C-alpha cells in the first residue's frame, strides 16, 4: 500500500500518534532470497529464524509455513514456537541459560539442543539416564576466537581442549550422540565471516572422519538497506550472495569428498526482518533553543534498537498540507517524548517540517520490538499494511493497566 498523509492520519486517529508498520511480504521475500543465495552454492542449507531478533508470531509462523526452522534461546521463545505449531524437530535451542525440566521436554520432542557450557553435560546425562530406551542427539556450541579484542563469552573453548572433551563425554553416554556443531559471533562484516569459516575448519579438523548431521554457522547477516543508511556504515554492507559465497562456499570446500554433507543451518534475524518494519510518529512541536531547532515527536529512541547509537535511519516525512505551516530547516534534531536529554531519533535533518506532520523511520524491525521497555509510556501497536484486506492490527497498544497489572 502506497502511504500518504491521509492514510497515516486515519491510522493515527484509530491507533494513536505513534505505531509500527510491518510488511510481512518483505519479510517473506527476504527469506526466499537469502535461502536461494545459499542453496545455489550449498543445496543442503536450511534457515532457522532467530526469534530473539523479532518474535512477532505472524513472522515466526511465516517461517514455519515456508519450511524454515526456529532458532530459540529461551523457554519463552520455545513456548511461542510450540504455540504456533513448530515441531520439536524443527527447533534449534541455543543460549547460555537452560533449565533441566525444559530441556527434558524439548529433547523428548526431538528438538535440536546446542549446549553452551559444561553444566549442560551433566543435565543431559541425568535426562538420558531417565530414558534409557530413547536416543538423544546433541549439538555443541564452539567458543569462536577470530582474534577479536574481547573474547566471546559463549560456547565451549577449543584451544584448551574443552570442546573435544565435551564431545567425548557426551558420546560416552550410552544413548547420546553429538551430531552438530554451532557457532555465532556478533560481527557482520564479510571478512569476519571468512575468519569464522577458517575457525570452523580448524574445529572440524579436530574430529577427522566424524560424521556431522548439521553445522550451524549462526546469524549476524545484514539485511537490505537504502543508500542513505548504507553510507553511514564504516564498511560496505554485504549482499546475500556475498555471505553465501563465503559460508556456503566454505561448506562445499570442507565437505568436498561427499562422504559427509551435513545440513548447513543459518540463523538470520536482521537479514529477514530489519527492513520489514517502519516506525511512524507525529510531530508534536518545533521549538528553537539557542541556535538549535528541535522537533518533539510522539515516539522515542527507546522504541527502536537500543544497541545502535549515532546512526540516522532512513527517514520520510509526510506533510499535513495545511497552508503556511511548513518551514524549511537545515539542521534540525528530532527528539523523543521521554525526559532523557539524549532521546533523539534523528539528528541534523534538513528539509521541510511542521507540527502535525508524520515522520517515518525505516529499517526498525531488528530488535526494536523485543528490547524496549514500557518506559514513560506504554508500548505502541503494530499494524500490517501489506495485502488487499486493508490495515490489520497485529499487536494492540499496551495500556497503563497492562503495565501495572502484575504489581501487588
Amino acid at each position: 500500500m502506497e502511504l500518504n498523509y491521509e492514510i497515516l492520519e486515519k491510522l493515527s486517529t484509530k491507533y494513536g500518534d505513534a505505531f509500527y508498520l510491518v510488511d510481512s511480504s518483505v519479510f517473506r521475500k527476504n527469506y526466499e532470497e537469502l535461502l536461494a543465495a545459499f542453496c545455489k552454492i550449498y543445496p543442503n542449507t536450511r534457515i532457522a529464524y532467530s526469534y530473539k531478533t523479532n518474535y512477532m508470531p505472524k513472522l515466526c509462523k511465516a517461517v514455519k509455513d515456508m519450511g524454515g526452522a526456529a532458532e530459540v534461546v529461551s523457554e519463552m521463545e520455545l513456548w511461542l514456537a510450540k504455540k504456533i505449531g513448530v515441531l520439536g524437530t524443527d527447533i534449534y535451542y541455543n543460549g547460555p541459560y537452560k533449565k533441566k525440566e525444559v530441556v527434558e521436554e524439548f529433547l523428548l520432542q526431538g528438538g535440536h539442543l546446542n549446549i553452551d557450557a559444561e553444566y549442560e553435560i551433566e543435565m543431559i546425562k541425568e535426562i538420558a539416564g531417565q530414558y534409557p530406551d530413547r536416543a538423544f542427539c546433541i549439538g555443541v556450541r564452539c567458543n569462536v576466537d577470530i582474534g577479536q579484542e574481547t573474547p566471546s563469552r559463549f560456547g565451549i573453548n577449543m584451544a584448551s581442549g574443552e570442546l573435544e572433551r565435551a564431545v567425548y563425554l557426551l558420546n560416552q553416554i550410552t544413548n547420546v550422540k553429538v551430531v552438530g556443531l554451532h557457532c555465532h559471533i556478533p560481527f557482520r562484516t564479510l571478512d569476519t565471516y571468512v575468519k569464522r569459516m577458517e575457525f570452523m575448519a580448524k574445529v572440524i579438523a579436530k574430529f577427522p572422519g566424524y560424521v556431522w548431521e548439521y553445522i550451524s554457522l549462526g546469524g549476524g547477516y545484514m539485511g537490505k538497506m537504502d543508500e542513505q543508511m548504507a553510507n553511514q556504515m564504516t564498511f560496505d554492507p554485504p549482499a546475500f550472495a556475498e555471505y553465501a559465497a563465503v559460508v556456503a562456499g566454505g561448506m562445499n570446500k570442507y565437505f568436498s569428498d561427499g562422504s559427509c554433507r551435513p545440513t548447513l543451518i543459518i540463523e538470520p534475524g536482521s537479514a529477514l526482518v530489519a527492513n520489514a518494519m517502519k516506525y511512524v510518529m507525529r510531530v508534536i512541536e518545533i521549538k528553537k533553543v539557542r541556535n538549535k531547532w528541535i522537533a518533539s515527536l510522539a515516539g522515542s529512541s527507546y522504541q527502536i534498537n537500543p544497541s545502535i547509537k549515532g546512526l540516522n535511519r532512513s527517514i520520510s516525512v509526510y506533510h499535513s498540507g495545511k497552508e503556511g505551516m511548513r518551514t524549511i530547516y537545515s539542521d534540525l534534531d528530532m527528539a523523543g517524548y521521554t525526559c532523557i536529554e539524549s532521546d533523539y531519533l534523528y539528528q541534523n535533518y534538513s528539509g521541510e517540517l511542521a507540527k502535525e506532520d508524520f515522520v517515518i523511520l525505516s529499517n526498525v524491525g531488528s530488535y526494536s520490538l523485543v528490547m524496549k521497555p514500557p518506559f514513560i509510556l506504554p508500548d505502541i501497536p503494530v499494524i500490517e499494511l501489506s495485502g488487499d484486506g486493508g490495515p490489520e492490527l497485529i499487536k494492540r497498544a499496551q495500556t497503563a493497566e497492562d503495565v501495572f497489572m502484575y504489581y501487588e
Side-chain angles (χ1 to χ4, degrees):
M1 179 184 292
E2 190 71 26
L3 289 175
N4 57 43
Y5 186 87
E6 288 69 30
I7 291 173
L8 294 172
E9 179 66 31
K10 288 179 181 178
L11 292 172
S12 178
T13 299
K14 186 172 183 179
Y15 298 112
D17 286 335
F19 48 88
Y20 293 115
L21 294 177
V22 60
D23 189 338
S24 56
S25 66
V26 172
F27 179 86
R28 290 192 295 270
K29 183 179 180 182
N30 288 339
Y31 176 97
E32 292 167 351
E33 291 182 1
L34 180 63
L35 184 60
F38 276 75
C39 285
K40 182 178 181 180
I41 300 172
Y42 193 82
N44 194 18
T45 299
R46 193 177 193 201
I47 286 178
Y49 173 60
S50 167
Y51 275 32
K52 67 180 178 293
T53 309
N54 187 322
Y55 48 55
M56 192 184 304
K58 182 171 185 175
L59 301 181
C60 296
K61 190 175 185 302
V63 172
K64 168 185 170 291
D65 293 343
M66 290 186 288
E71 188 264 329
V72 304
V73 294
S74 72
E75 57 191 281
M76 181 184 77
E77 295 172 4
L78 182 57
W79 179 92
L80 173 60
K82 294 176 183 177
K83 180 72 174 179
I84 63 176
V86 181
L87 299 176
T89 51
D90 291 328
I91 304 174
Y92 292 81
Y93 190 1
N94 301 318
Y97 174 44
K98 305 184 186 82
K99 297 177 183 177
K100 181 188 172 186
E101 61 271 21
V102 177
V103 169
E104 179 179 340
E105 180 183 0
F106 180 67
L107 289 177
L108 290 174
Q109 294 173 346
H112 305 281
L113 184 80
N114 291 319
I115 71 167
D116 184 78
E118 289 194 9
Y119 82 92
E120 296 175 62
I121 298 175
E122 189 60 35
M123 181 190 302
I124 292 167
K125 185 176 180 179
E126 292 178 13
I127 294 170
Q130 292 173 333
Y131 303 93
D133 297 329
R134 295 288 301 269
F136 299 101
C137 296
I138 304 297
V140 178
R141 179 169 181 168
C142 314
N143 179 272
V144 180
D145 184 356
I146 60 170
Q148 66 266 40
E149 182 178 351
T150 303
S152 171
R153 67 185 181 92
F154 301 108
I156 300 176
N157 192 1
M158 179 186 71
S160 65
E162 293 173 271
L163 178 65
E164 291 171 276
R165 179 175 176 272
V167 173
Y168 172 79
L169 289 175
L170 286 166
N171 283 336
Q172 286 295 106
I173 305 170
T174 304
N175 52 338
V176 172
K177 182 172 177 56
V178 176
V179 299
L181 290 173
H182 173 255
C183 80
H184 175 78
I185 45 177
F187 305 120
R188 301 184 185 276
T189 60
L190 204 58
D191 68 301
T192 61
Y193 277 82
V194 171
K195 294 176 181 178
R196 186 186 307 195
M197 293 305 295
E198 291 172 348
F199 176 84
M200 288 305 291
K202 295 176 182 177
V203 174
I204 293 167
K206 290 282 186 180
F207 304 92
Y210 200 94
V211 178
W212 302 102
E213 291 185 11
Y214 67 87
I215 305 290
S216 174
L217 269 299
Y221 308 100
M222 294 198 75
K224 300 173 185 176
M225 61 183 69
D226 62 25
E227 186 176 355
Q228 178 185 350
M229 193 168 176
N231 287 340
Q232 297 176 68
M233 298 291 174
T234 57
F235 58 93
D236 292 330
F240 291 168
E242 293 177 292
Y243 282 127
V246 171
V247 178
M251 289 291 289
N252 267 337
K253 177 181 178 181
Y254 304 150
F255 300 101
S256 58
D257 61 5
S259 60
C260 173
R261 296 284 282 182
T263 301
L264 167 61
I265 304 296
I266 57 174
E267 300 170 353
S270 299
L272 304 187
V273 76
N275 70 329
M277 285 185 65
K278 302 177 186 292
Y279 186 24
V280 181
M281 300 156 285
R282 189 188 290 275
V283 178
I284 305 302
E285 180 61 281
I286 302 175
K287 61 184 177 181
K288 190 174 186 179
V289 180
R290 296 182 188 172
N291 293 318
K292 187 69 176 180
W293 286 101
I294 301 173
S296 296
L297 307 186
S300 167
S301 63
Y302 291 88
Q303 299 281 0
I304 54 179
N305 188 343
S307 65
I308 297 178
K309 304 293 185 183
L311 176 69
N312 279 335
R313 286 172 168 78
S314 301
I315 190 172
S316 301
V317 177
Y318 291 80
H319 303 291
S320 66
K322 295 181 179 179
E323 291 294 331
M325 288 189 66
R326 300 186 202 172
T327 300
I328 298 176
Y329 299 94
S330 61
D331 183 18
L332 175 142
D333 290 348
M334 298 182 183
Y337 60 72
T338 74
C339 300
I340 304 300
E341 285 280 9
S342 60
D343 185 7
Y344 285 98
L345 292 129
Y346 194 96
Q347 296 187 281
N348 310 120
Y349 169 77
S350 295
E352 291 186 320
L353 196 69
K355 290 171 60 175
E356 299 184 26
D357 285 352
F358 287 103
V359 172
I360 298 184
L361 298 184
S362 299
N363 220 290
V364 302
S366 176
Y367 291 101
S368 297
L369 193 75
V370 297
M371 292 185 75
K372 63 191 181 315
F375 179 55
I376 306 292
L377 284 175
D379 200 6
I380 59 175
V382 181
I383 304 161
E384 168 82 78
L385 280 186
S386 64
D388 301 322
E392 176 189 359
L393 182 64
I394 302 299
K395 179 179 180 288
R396 68 169 175 83
Q398 193 179 43
T399 66
E401 183 179 2
D402 293 329
V403 174
F404 298 108
M405 67 185 296
Y406 296 108
Y407 289 91
E408 296 293 342

